[in-house]
Amino acid sequence: MDTSPSKQYPVKKRVKIHPNTVTVKYTSHYPQPGEDEYEGTSEDNDSFVEDNPKRRLLSDGRSKGRSFFGTIDIPSQTTQKSEATKSEPGQGFIEGSIFQSKKTWAVLFGSALAHGCVALITRLASDRSKVPSLELIFIRSILQVFSVLVVCYYQEDPFGPKGHRLRLFFYGVCNVISITCAYTSFSIVPPSNGTTLWRATTTVFSAILAFLLVDERMACVDVITVLSSVLGVCLVMIPNIVDEESSLLNIWKEAFGYTMTVMAGLTTALSMIVYRSIKDNVSMWTALFTFGWTGTLWGASTMFFLQEPIIPLNGESWSYLMGICLCSTVAFLGVYYALSKFHPALVSTVQHLEIVIAMVLQLLVLRIFPSVYDLIGGAIIIISVFFLACYKLSWKKLKTQDYQEILDSSIK
């Protein structure tokens, strides 16, 4: 006599209806509540649900919520209970996040200071050493190529991981084009106006491209502070452009120079967006090496045809060149460190402090006094940037973020 389970109990089809899916499981017997086998069957059902990938994905999807950057995780009841039982580790994580945020803002302010030094040293180099822009890019890029030592130390691929090399190369090309356009415009228009317009257009284009290309949006407070900082930049730049006296021929020449500056801002913003899309797979040292070798190839192939290079003979010119290379590298690393954590437009907005720092350094070194519009615009920039920093830091403590800030994790 066959005593198998299929003969002892009739085969029954058990159907459980869920709001998101229907789970079907065939069993030989379906114990009722109160029977001995009921609890064991419930555990089997739970394990079956966990083993069902579609059911698990749907349940995970229910724990997602919409935010300015797409979806964010909404903690479940079990997560809330576990957090309640582990309040001390959670508090430590929050304190670590606040420390990381403060560290990022300190790096951003340091990069703005380095950019301000670059503006002053570039002006000194153009006035005294007469080094062409493409040669300056070439020398700067050669020194940045040595960042490959750091890349090899961390055992990374210098040309990026497979699957990301094309975008990394495109990132390097965009950076080289932006620097070339900016330095070329500085030989046509006043460097102060060119730098100011470069920063303003980078901020505007980074906000627009981040929304169009990667659907990355900003909170209302971020938009207001960014616009107010751009307004301060315009107050510094526009009066200086209007006050320039030039002939009809020079007007067209300056129009071309400012067009090159706008192109520099566009390509700079595009390079920031491209790096933002590969930041999880490419470190900032690999990005610096990519910028270095693409700039070296571009400078070596163009500076002998488009410009007449010179060999600096005195120590003063070489000190200017080394200062520009050092400060620009520090500023680059600071910007791209912060770019892996903040919105590109916010990073570019903080760099507006470069204009204020350059004003102070020119006053101390060159005895150039800022105008009334410069003072008003600089004050607006300072208020906007420091309000944004204080708001973000206090906002971090209250855990009322409008968008999810990317933080370093101890789990690799």
Side-chain angles (χ1 to χ4, degrees):
M1 183 177 179
D2 189 4
T3 60
S4 63
S6 61
K7 295 296 183 180
Q8 291 179 359
Y9 304 101
V11 178
K12 296 181 181 181
K13 181 173 71 173
R14 176 155 49 94
V15 180
K16 296 188 70 177
I17 301 176
H18 190 271
N20 290 333
T21 185
V22 177
T23 303
V24 181
K25 184 178 181 182
Y26 289 89
T27 59
S28 298
H29 176 63
Y30 184 63
Q32 300 298 320
E35 296 182 4
D36 295 337
E37 300 176 359
Y38 179 74
E39 294 181 358
T41 307
S42 299
E43 295 177 357
D44 294 340
N45 295 340
D46 294 338
S47 63
F48 173 74
V49 171
E50 292 298 327
D51 293 337
N52 189 344
K54 294 183 179 180
R55 180 74 173 272
R56 185 167 60 250
L57 287 174
L58 288 172
S59 61
D60 291 342
R62 295 185 63 194
S63 63
K64 298 286 185 179
R66 296 298 300 175
S67 73
F68 286 101
F69 289 101
T71 59
I72 58 174
D73 292 333
I74 298 178
S76 59
Q77 294 181 355
T78 57
T79 305
Q80 293 176 354
K81 290 180 181 179
S82 62
E83 289 179 355
T85 58
K86 299 179 180 180
S87 58
E88 293 182 359
Q91 183 67 26
F93 174 75
I94 294 174
E95 292 178 356
S97 300
I98 295 174
F99 172 76
Q100 289 292 337
S101 185
K102 291 181 178 179
K103 177 182 175 182
T104 305
W105 281 102
V107 170
L108 265 178
F109 289 139
S111 62
L113 176 61
H115 271 135
C117 295
V118 170
L120 175 64
I121 300 174
T122 302
R123 178 162 186 166
L124 293 175
S126 62
D127 292 342
R128 300 179 184 180
S129 62
K130 306 297 182 181
V131 178
S133 58
L134 293 177
E135 184 179 357
L136 181 59
I137 295 174
F138 177 72
I139 297 174
R140 169 182 170 177
S141 300
I142 286 180
L143 295 179
Q144 291 177 347
V145 166
F146 288 100
S147 61
V148 70
L149 300 177
V150 183
V151 176
C152 295
Y153 174 78
Y154 287 109
Q155 297 180 351
E156 299 178 3
D157 193 332
F159 298 99
K162 294 182 178 180
H164 301 279
R165 292 177 179 175
L166 183 59
R167 277 189 288 179
L168 184 61
F169 174 72
F170 181 66
Y171 152 83
V173 171
C174 289
N175 255 327
V176 171
I177 293 175
S178 68
I179 294 296
T180 304
C181 292
Y183 285 6
T184 303
S185 68
F186 294 164
S187 62
I188 302 175
V189 299
S192 59
N193 294 343
T195 303
T196 306
L197 182 59
W198 185 16
R199 293 302 170 198
T201 52
T202 299
T203 304
V204 174
F205 283 128
S206 61
I208 296 174
L209 293 178
F211 173 71
L212 294 179
L213 299 180
V214 295
D215 195 22
E216 192 169 359
R217 309 181 184 185
M218 294 188 297
C220 294
V221 176
D222 298 342
V223 174
I224 294 173
T225 51
V226 169
L227 291 178
S228 62
S229 181
V230 172
L231 175 62
V233 173
C234 292
L235 286 177
V236 174
M237 175 185 61
I238 294 177
N240 295 331
I241 297 177
V242 173
D243 292 340
E244 292 180 2
E245 297 181 359
S246 57
S247 61
L248 183 61
L249 179 61
N250 289 334
I251 289 177
W252 288 104
K253 184 178 178 181
E254 291 184 357
F256 174 76
Y258 288 118
T259 302
M260 296 290 288
T261 307
V262 173
M263 288 297 299
L266 175 61
T267 50
T268 301
L270 186 58
S271 65
M272 295 171 70
I273 301 301
V274 173
Y275 178 78
R276 184 104 169 133
S277 65
I278 59 176
K279 60 182 174 57
D280 295 331
N281 306 98
V282 178
S283 68
M284 61 182 182
W285 291 103
T286 305
L288 179 62
F289 172 68
T290 304
F291 187 18
W293 72 262
T294 52
T296 301
L297 293 179
W298 172 254
S301 60
T302 57
M303 69 177 181
F304 293 101
F305 301 99
L306 301 180
Q307 294 178 350
E308 183 179 356
I310 63 173
I311 299 177
L313 299 177
N314 53 1
E316 183 182 10
S317 299
W318 279 110
S319 64
Y320 291 150
L321 293 177
M322 294 300 104
I324 291 174
C325 295
L326 178 61
C327 293
S328 61
T329 301
V330 171
F332 178 92
L333 293 175
V335 167
Y336 280 87
Y337 174 81
L339 191 61
S340 63
K341 303 174 185 300
F342 291 148
H343 191 283
L346 300 184
V347 176
S348 181
T349 299
V350 178
Q351 299 310 300
H352 292 173
L353 289 176
E354 167 196 353
I355 301 171
V356 181
I357 295 172
M359 288 182 190
V360 176
L361 293 178
Q362 288 179 4
L363 177 62
L364 296 177
V365 177
L366 302 177
R367 301 300 180 183
I368 299 177
F369 292 89
S371 64
V372 177
Y373 292 103
D374 294 339
L375 295 177
I376 297 175
I380 294 176
I381 292 173
I382 293 174
I383 293 173
S384 301
V385 172
F386 279 93
F387 171 79
L388 180 63
C390 295
Y391 177 75
K392 289 296 181 183
L393 292 175
S394 61
W395 190 23
K396 186 79 178 175
K397 294 178 182 179
L398 297 175
K399 296 189 296 183
T400 56
Q401 291 177 321
D402 292 323
Y403 60 84
Q404 186 178 9
E405 187 175 296
I406 304 172
L407 298 171
D408 292 335
S409 175
S410 59
I411 303 175
K412 301 297 182 184

